[in-house]
Amino acid sequence: WMRSEGFNITGKAPEGTPVTAMGPLLESLLAERFQLTFHREKRELPVYALVTARSSELQWTPDQLPPRAPGTPADQPIRVNGVDIDPNGPSLFTALQEQLGVKLDSTRGPVEVMVIDRLERPSPD
């Protein structure tokens, strides 16, 4: 039996901290506040293999589109990171195959996973 609770954690890394150091910093914070202990192990899990390639531009529509900006007319495209998104465009799977001549094959492969050994309610501030 597992119970679910949500917690908001706000933190700021020291100035100049490289992105590659964020994982260990987060692990340290969770270990301190939630008494988190875990180990990593490799498991054979479902993965996608990208096969055959040719170079071309790729245009696709995300499965979950963000909401339009307030005041944006319905006939205007949705913009994500400065790129117009066609809500009626192809899915990623279709775009990969039709535009690049590649496809994602569902298969199994080694994946590193984090297995939680211990987790407690957080310590108070």
Side-chain angles (χ1 to χ4, degrees):
W1 179 79
M2 186 179 280
R3 189 176 69 207
S4 176
E5 282 186 65
F7 296 94
N8 291 327
I9 300 173
T10 304
K12 184 176 180 182
E15 185 72 31
T17 301
V19 172
T20 55
M22 295 300 185
L25 287 174
L26 182 58
E27 288 175 16
S28 175
L29 171 71
L30 295 174
E32 178 184 324
R33 297 295 304 273
F34 291 86
Q35 301 304 306
L36 171 69
T37 58
F38 66 92
H39 66 277
R40 289 184 168 90
E41 58 186 49
K42 295 257 184 192
R43 294 187 180 173
E44 196 78 10
L45 296 173
V47 296
Y48 285 105
L50 187 61
V51 295
T52 311
R54 73 173 185 244
S55 60
S56 297
E57 280 301 76
L58 180 65
Q59 296 180 350
W60 58 283
T61 300
D63 290 337
Q64 297 178 347
L65 291 173
R68 291 184 185 280
T72 304
D75 63 346
Q76 294 294 312
I78 296 172
R79 292 186 65 78
V80 177
N81 296 328
V83 177
D84 290 346
I85 302 295
D86 177 3
N88 300 312
S91 70
L92 176 60
F93 292 92
T94 301
L96 284 169
Q97 192 160 358
E98 291 178 354
Q99 297 171 37
L100 299 182
V102 299
K103 64 179 184 172
L104 291 172
D105 282 340
S106 180
T107 183
R108 294 183 70 78
V111 177
E112 185 177 73
V113 297
M114 179 189 297
V115 179
I116 296 174
D117 300 313
R118 176 179 170 209
L119 184 65
E120 296 182 6
R121 286 181 172 269
S123 58
D125 287 336

